[in-house]
């Protein structure tokens, strides 16, 4: 989980830095496609939230939290610092998924977060942690509103416009990807050559 968390944080930071510097026109990290980028982060965000809850469940933390020092003692522990760092990474990755404008990535991320939240609510001893998840998601949306939520709304609206790829176009892209996998299933296309190789197979330009 820590390796995935580090990978997702790096991809998010790299994506934001390259976009704000004008090198890239959309958030995609080191990936050729924004959907691949958002798909990776959509899997890591729920894991990072689970890690925040897992750190809270440590026996030492629970015993110290209930000590005479109470919340003040807990806020001074290294465990709280770890939780804050993981939560910050989850917020960063959530923002990256939002501003990647990948509708599939957005759906996958929120589906994972909602499923995890429902699991917490279904367990009596874990229900209070659902509030932590809600707080993190609220911070993501508040930060997105400050940066420019209109970009996200525009991406969602494009789903119903002629600018978005049709379902037939997406199916065509999937067929091209499968053909590429069949031809290079054992050796791969080579380090850093996937964008070039895929461009020879795809019949449509991704929107």
């Amino acid at each position: 989980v820590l390796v995935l968390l580090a990978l997702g944080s790096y991809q998010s930071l790299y994506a934001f830095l390259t976009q704000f510097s004008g090198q890239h026109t959309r958030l995609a990290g080191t990936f050729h496609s924004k959907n691949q980028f958002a798909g990776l982060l959509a899997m890591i965000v729920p894991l990072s939230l689970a890690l925040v809850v897992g750190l809270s469940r440590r026996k030492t933390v629970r015993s110290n939290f209930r000590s005479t020092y109470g919340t003040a003692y807990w806020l001074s522990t290294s465990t709280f610092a770890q939780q804050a760092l993981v939560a910050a990474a989850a917020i960063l990755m959530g923002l990256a998924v939002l501003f990647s404008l990948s509708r599939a990535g957005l759906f996958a991320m929120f589906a994972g977060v909602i499923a995890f939240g429902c699991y917490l609510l279904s367990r009596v001893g874990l229900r209070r942690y659902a509030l932590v998840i809600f707080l993190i998601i609220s911070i993501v949306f508040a930060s997105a509103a400050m940066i420019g939520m209109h970009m996200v709304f525009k991406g969602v609206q494009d789903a119903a416009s002629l600018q978005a790829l049709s379902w037939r176009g997406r199916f065509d892209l999937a067929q091209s990807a499968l053909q590429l996998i069949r031809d290079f299933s054992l050796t791969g296309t080579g380090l850093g050559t996937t964008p070039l190789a895929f461009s020879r197979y795809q019949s449509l330009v991704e929107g």
Side-chain angles (χ1 to χ4, degrees):
V1 175
L2 294 177
V3 173
L4 290 174
L5 188 65
L7 175 62
S9 300
Y10 168 76
Q11 288 287 344
S12 301
L13 282 173
Y14 180 81
F16 278 117
L17 289 175
T18 52
Q19 187 183 51
F20 290 150
S21 63
Q23 297 181 35
H24 292 166
T25 58
R26 58 183 178 179
L27 248 61
T30 59
F31 289 88
H32 175 66
S33 167
K34 63 179 182 180
N35 295 320
Q36 296 170 345
F37 168 74
L40 172 68
L41 299 185
M43 293 186 290
I44 301 176
V45 169
L47 288 176
S48 62
L49 298 179
L51 182 58
V52 172
V53 175
L55 290 171
S56 300
R57 297 282 294 172
R58 285 183 177 178
K59 292 183 178 180
T60 54
V61 174
R62 285 183 290 173
S63 61
N64 288 333
F65 184 76
R66 294 168 183 170
S67 68
T68 55
Y69 294 100
T71 305
Y73 180 86
W74 175 62
L75 292 175
S76 66
T77 62
S78 60
T79 300
F80 173 75
Q82 294 171 2
Q83 287 177 299
L85 185 61
V86 174
I91 292 171
L92 176 65
M93 290 184 287
L95 286 171
V97 175
L98 279 175
F99 287 101
S100 70
L101 305 183
S102 170
R103 295 179 295 276
L106 280 170
F107 176 80
M109 182 182 71
F110 283 114
V113 172
I114 291 172
F116 182 58
C118 291
Y119 168 76
L120 294 177
L121 291 174
S122 66
R123 304 294 296 272
V124 177
L126 298 176
R127 288 177 181 173
R128 63 184 181 275
Y129 297 111
L131 180 62
V132 177
I133 306 303
F134 175 77
L135 177 61
I136 293 176
I137 296 301
S138 299
I139 294 175
V140 169
F141 277 105
S143 302
M146 293 175 61
I147 298 174
M149 198 66 179
H150 64 279
M151 295 173 57
V152 179
F153 290 145
K154 183 179 182 301
V156 174
Q157 290 172 354
D158 284 346
S161 70
L162 295 177
Q163 298 176 16
L165 277 177
S166 64
W167 284 108
R168 182 177 179 180
R170 291 181 182 275
F171 180 73
D172 198 18
L173 288 176
Q175 285 185 314
S176 301
L178 289 175
Q179 181 62 45
L180 176 65
I181 293 172
R182 281 195 296 267
D183 291 348
F184 296 94
S185 57
L186 294 179
T187 61
T189 61
L191 186 63
T193 61
T194 301
L196 178 62
F198 187 72
S199 64
R200 297 181 178 179
Y201 283 81
Q202 69 181 114
S203 57
L204 293 174
V205 178
E206 182 185 5

